[in-house]
């Protein structure tokens, strides 16, 4: 199973690399912080307004290390969901529609191995997009605003190297619920067999989750909704660091990711492939 | 591989889509080295059968064995040494022909390397265009690349579904030659088609499927031999000839069509008895001939798709 999954994973990566839209998605992710930085540079927004009124927002213009975190808050659910939906919704359905699924299903890999390879490739792609976003954002921010200490959410100053070191776990924490959203997109991709339906469905799903989180009647369960986990990285920028939200983010994301992945696996195993 | 197990063996194969029975208790046996034609009109159940054979579609009843293994229970073992193209080759348009073969070879775990890919590209005469994107290929080139993607698996059984679809006459001629060459190399081939001409040129045995049921299985020679042949008589007086024929026991099912009589005639003594009776009745024989039914006419008869104006011979059962 493992070797077959690795074969499928490598093949999926190769397919992704060969497609222009893959690079377009990664380039878009990388350009977001640059566009944001330029807009801040040329805008006349006064401190304490707009982007300055976000976690770590007061650090804008003072430290280039803040830019990624401010943008993450601003793009909220839509940005990562859009990229996740575009790839997850497409990764099975597009092959179904193009007929290439039947081409690979009659080779020497089991269906489960093929799907597992697709899941890993999907997660790798999202990680690559997030990495491109992070690296370009940090480098651009440092070039324009310098490698300076940050004031964290508790109001304490943290050194620039420490802030830089926190970037990686923060982005990982941010990425985990995004993978859960992508898992639902993959499920829709398998079930609907239609790229557009799966992509639109994933976006609607994320928006619905965000809508639920905004309902005051659901305030008591807000902490356990998937979109809330997109802010779990805030815990890393508090002193002392509270681990509760981080742990909760991990298991809540798993709860949201595993059922659609299992359902996708079951459907993919049993379905007829007759384009 | 189970020793001596036939490449393909199905028994009572059934597939339903709602109320429609697409494949209805199909029994097929394809022997080692056969170039086996799977004939039937569009929608007869050929492609659905092939999909079940390759494990793409689940069957509702019956058994399938590929070299003795069930593709539903153990797809990896059952499809070991088996390759196929359903409907038409579907490849990654945004990748080159060579990249497609490299990718698909990696799925095969056969360890096929660049030299093997060069070999199959040469075999299908695509070496010069191997670096081009598949989106730039003609339909014939796609078919050839599809076959190359099968050959890279080193198959012992190759299933081709309507390989001539959308291919120009030169491409069809090339494909026929390629199929013959592959058969000569010992590859068992199942060739599905709705075109008799495509099958009769290369296949040793055929199964004819219509409305999900097998209506004939055997060799084309047996099919032709099994067809009842009608005789045609032109006489100096067709009406008197008809009276004579009705009194001759060896003549059956006679019909007067214009000035020509057609009938079934016992092969052994029928011609002698009839000519004697006609002579005694003083009816001159202008011509007495026996129809040689074309395979096409037989095919249409089996599949009840009579072309306008065609003479439809009778065919003995499967």
């Amino acid at each position: 199973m493992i070797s077959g999954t690795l074969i499928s994973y490598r093949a999926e990566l190769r397919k992704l690399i060969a497609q222009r839209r893959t690079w377009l998605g990664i380039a878009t992710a990388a350009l977001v912080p640059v566009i944001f930085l330029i807009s801040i540079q040329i805008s006349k927004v006064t401190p304490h307004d707009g982007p300055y009124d976000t976690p770590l927002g007061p650090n804008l213009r003072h430290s280039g290390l803040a830019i990624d975190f401010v943008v993450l808050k601003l793009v909220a659910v839509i940005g990562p969901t859009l990229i996740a939906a575009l790839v997850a919704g497409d990764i099975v359905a597009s092959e179904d529609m193009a007929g290439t699924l039947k081409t690979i299903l009659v080779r020497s890999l089991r269906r489960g191995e093929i799907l597992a390879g697709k899941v890993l490739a999907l997660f790798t792609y999202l990680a690559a997009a997030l990495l491109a976003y992070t690296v370009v954002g940090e480098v651009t921010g440092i070039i324009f605003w310098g490698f300076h200490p940050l004031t964290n959410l508790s109001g304490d100053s943290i050194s620039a190297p420490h802030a830089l070191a926190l970037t990686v776990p923060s982005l990982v924490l941010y990425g985990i619920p995004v993978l859960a959203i992508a898992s639902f997109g993959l499920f829709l991709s398998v079930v609907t067999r239609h790229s557009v339906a799966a992509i639109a469905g994933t976006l609607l799903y994320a928006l619905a989750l965000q809508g639920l989180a905004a309902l005051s009647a659901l305030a008591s369960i807000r902490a356990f909704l998937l979109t809330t986990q997109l802010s779990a990285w805030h815990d890393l920028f508090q002193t002392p660091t509270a681990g509760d939200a981080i742990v909760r983010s991990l298991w809540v994301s798993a709860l949201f990711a595993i059922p659609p992945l299992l359902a996708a696996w079951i459907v993919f195993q049993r379905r007829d492939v007759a384009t | 591989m189970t020793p001596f197990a036939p490449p393909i063996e199905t028994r009572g194969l059934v597939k339903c889509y709602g109320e429609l029975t697409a494949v209805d208790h199909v029994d097929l046996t394809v022997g080692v080295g056969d170039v086996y034609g799977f004939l039937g009109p569009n929608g007869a159940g050929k492609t659905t059968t092939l999909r079940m054979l390759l494990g793409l579609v689940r069957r509702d009843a019956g058994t399938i064995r590929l070299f003795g293994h069930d593709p539903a229970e153990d797809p990896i073992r059952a499809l070991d040494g088996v390759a196929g193209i359903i409907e038409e080759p579907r490849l990654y348009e945004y990748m080159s022909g060579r990249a497609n073969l490299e990718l698909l070879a990696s799925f095969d775990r056969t360890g096929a390397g660049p030299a093997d890919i060069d070999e199959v590209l040469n075999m299908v005469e695509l070496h010069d265009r191997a670096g081009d994107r598949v989106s730039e290929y003609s339909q014939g080139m796609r078919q050839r690349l599809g076959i190359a993607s099968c050959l890279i698996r080193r198959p012992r059984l190759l299933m081709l579904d309507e390989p001539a679809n959308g291919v120009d006459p030169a491409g069809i001629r090339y494909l026929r030659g390629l199929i013959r060459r592959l058969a000569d190399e010992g590859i068992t081939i199942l060739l599905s088609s709705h075109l008799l001409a495509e099958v009769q040129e290369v296949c040793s045995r055929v199964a004819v499927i219509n409305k999900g049921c097998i209506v004939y299985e055997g060799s084309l020679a047996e099919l032709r031999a099994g067809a009842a042949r009608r005789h045609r008589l032109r006489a100096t007086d067709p009406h008197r000839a008809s009276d004579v024929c009705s009194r001759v026991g060896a003549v059956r099912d006679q019909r007067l069509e214009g000035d020509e009589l057609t009938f079934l005639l016992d092969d052994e003594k029928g011609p002698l008895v009839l000519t004697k009776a006609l002579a005694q009745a003083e009816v001159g024989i202008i011509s007495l001939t026996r129809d040689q039914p074309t395979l096409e006419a037989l095919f249409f008869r089996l599949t009840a798709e009579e072309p306008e104006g065609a003479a439809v011979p009778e065919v003995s059962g499967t």
Side-chain angles (χ1 to χ4, degrees):
Chain A
M1 175 76 184
I2 291 172
S3 69
T5 299
L6 285 176
I7 290 169
S8 169
Y9 174 56
R10 280 197 292 266
E12 290 303 324
L13 287 184
R14 187 169 181 177
K15 283 188 261 179
L16 282 174
I17 288 168
Q19 293 179 77
R20 256 188 232 122
R21 59 185 170 182
T22 301
W23 297 105
L24 195 65
I26 289 177
T28 304
L31 280 175
V32 168
V34 177
I35 293 167
F36 173 76
L37 185 142
I38 293 168
S39 71
I40 290 289
Q41 286 290 85
I42 61 175
S43 74
K44 293 175 179 163
V45 179
T46 54
H48 311 299
D49 285 339
Y52 294 96
D53 189 25
T54 58
L56 302 180
N59 292 284
L60 287 175
R61 291 180 183 268
H62 300 299
S63 173
L65 296 169
I67 187 168
D68 276 342
F69 303 103
V70 175
V71 175
L72 280 188
K73 190 65 186 176
L74 292 176
V75 296
V77 177
I78 287 299
T81 299
L82 191 60
I83 292 179
L86 284 172
V87 183
D90 205 49
I91 200 160
V92 177
S94 65
E95 291 227 42
D96 218 338
M97 292 167 76
T100 48
L101 194 55
K102 69 182 181 189
T103 303
I104 57 175
L105 286 180
V106 299
R107 314 301 293 200
S108 299
L109 294 186
R110 295 179 191 281
R111 288 188 177 200
E113 293 169 335
I114 288 172
L115 189 66
K118 285 185 177 292
V119 171
L120 290 177
L122 167 64
F123 288 0
T124 303
Y125 176 78
L126 292 174
L130 209 50
L131 185 68
Y133 163 84
T134 306
V135 171
V136 173
E138 295 288 272
V139 170
T140 314
I142 290 167
I143 290 170
F144 278 81
W145 295 333
F147 187 61
H148 303 301
L150 281 181
T151 302
N152 73 5
L153 301 178
S154 305
D156 297 326
S157 177
I158 52 176
S159 69
H162 185 201
L164 184 63
L166 285 177
T167 304
V168 175
S170 299
L171 269 295
V172 169
L173 274 176
Y174 183 81
I176 287 170
V178 174
L179 298 187
I181 294 170
S183 300
F184 187 79
L186 182 111
F187 164 71
L188 288 183
S189 189
V190 170
V191 172
T192 65
R193 306 179 182 196
H194 197 286
S195 297
V196 175
I199 291 166
T202 309
L203 288 171
L204 285 174
Y205 169 73
L207 288 173
L209 287 177
Q210 195 178 26
L212 285 176
L215 291 176
S216 54
L218 295 176
S220 57
I221 61 161
R222 188 172 296 145
F224 305 102
L225 291 174
L226 188 57
T227 47
T228 307
Q229 314 317 315
L230 292 166
S231 304
W233 59 271
H234 292 183
D235 269 18
L236 293 173
F237 287 90
Q238 285 174 348
T239 41
T241 300
D244 296 1
I246 294 170
V247 172
R248 187 172 57 238
S249 171
L250 295 177
W251 67 258
V252 169
S253 297
L255 274 182
F256 274 87
I258 292 170
L261 286 179
L262 271 179
W265 191 82
I266 290 166
V267 172
F268 193 70
Q269 290 281 343
R270 299 182 56 82
R271 59 184 278 193
D272 286 351
V273 177
T275 305
Chain B
M1 183 174 78
T2 305
F4 312 118
I8 298 175
E9 189 174 39
T10 74
R11 292 293 176 265
L13 197 55
V14 175
K15 179 67 185 179
C16 301
Y17 292 107
E19 305 238 319
L20 173 74
T21 304
V23 175
D24 192 359
H25 294 89
V26 163
D27 296 343
L28 285 178
T29 305
V30 179
V32 174
D34 276 352
V35 182
Y36 195 95
F38 194 34
L39 266 172
N42 290 330
K46 304 184 298 295
T47 300
T48 304
T49 303
L50 260 64
R51 283 182 183 137
M52 284 190 280
L53 290 176
L54 288 167
L56 292 171
V57 165
R58 297 163 71 85
R59 60 184 180 258
D60 292 318
T63 61
I64 297 173
R65 294 284 181 275
L66 302 180
F67 294 108
H69 300 290
D70 186 337
E73 287 174 7
D74 191 352
I76 303 301
R77 285 185 78 183
L79 294 180
D80 180 28
V82 178
I85 301 172
I86 303 295
E87 288 172 317
E88 60 182 290
R90 296 296 180 95
L91 299 151
Y92 297 98
E93 302 269 326
Y94 50 85
M95 297 171 90
S96 69
R98 180 183 292 279
N100 266 280
L101 293 183
E102 288 167 354
L103 186 84
L104 294 173
S106 73
F107 279 88
D108 292 338
R109 300 168 149 179
T110 53
D116 303 289
I117 289 169
D118 284 337
E119 184 188 338
V120 294
L121 282 169
N122 279 325
M123 200 181 288
V124 299
E125 297 178 15
L126 273 179
H127 205 274
D128 293 344
R129 299 289 305 273
D132 295 351
R133 284 175 186 243
V134 171
S135 57
E136 296 165 14
Y137 281 17
S138 68
Q139 187 63 25
M141 290 166 70
R142 284 165 197 250
Q143 283 289 4
R144 278 146 58 192
L145 185 64
I147 291 174
S149 76
C150 292
L151 297 180
I152 200 76
R153 278 174 73 75
R154 304 271 176 213
R156 288 170 287 137
L157 167 64
L158 178 60
M159 301 186 210
L160 300 173
D161 187 19
E162 308 276 6
N165 266 6
V167 181
D168 62 26
I172 291 173
R173 193 170 58 182
Y174 173 82
L175 283 173
R176 277 184 197 148
L178 180 62
I179 289 168
R180 282 198 199 97
R181 284 209 315 269
L182 296 174
D184 289 344
E185 289 176 15
I187 298 175
T188 304
I189 295 172
L190 176 67
L191 177 64
S192 160
S193 178
H194 68 282
L195 300 171
L196 181 73
E198 189 181 344
V199 164
Q200 73 183 44
E201 295 240 354
V202 290
C203 293
S204 47
R205 289 167 52 79
V206 296
V208 181
I209 186 169
N210 188 36
K211 293 176 183 166
C213 301
I214 298 290
V215 291
Y216 176 79
E217 188 185 21
S219 72
L220 287 171
E222 287 165 354
L223 175 63
R224 201 191 290 259
R229 296 170 181 177
R230 293 188 75 81
H231 282 71
R232 293 183 176 274
L233 172 66
R234 293 190 68 204
T236 50
D237 186 337
H239 294 284
R240 280 182 64 195
S242 176
D243 289 342
V244 172
C245 285
S246 60
R247 292 195 298 271
V248 173
V251 173
R252 289 175 287 118
D253 189 26
Q254 66 148 317
R255 296 172 204 157
L256 183 59
E257 297 168 358
D259 61 352
E260 196 173 67
L261 270 172
T262 70
F263 45 79
L264 295 170
L265 185 64
D266 288 350
D267 275 350
E268 206 171 315
K269 291 184 178 173
L272 181 63
V273 172
L274 178 62
T275 50
K276 273 185 180 174
L278 288 168
Q280 283 170 2
E282 297 184 340
V283 177
I285 298 173
I286 298 170
S287 66
L288 178 61
T289 57
R290 191 165 69 163
D291 281 347
Q292 176 62 59
T294 63
L295 278 172
E296 189 178 25
L298 293 170
F299 172 62
F300 283 123
R301 177 76 177 96
L302 286 166
T303 57
E305 284 201 353
E306 185 182 344
E308 205 173 320
V312 180
E314 291 170 14
V315 182
S316 57
T318 61

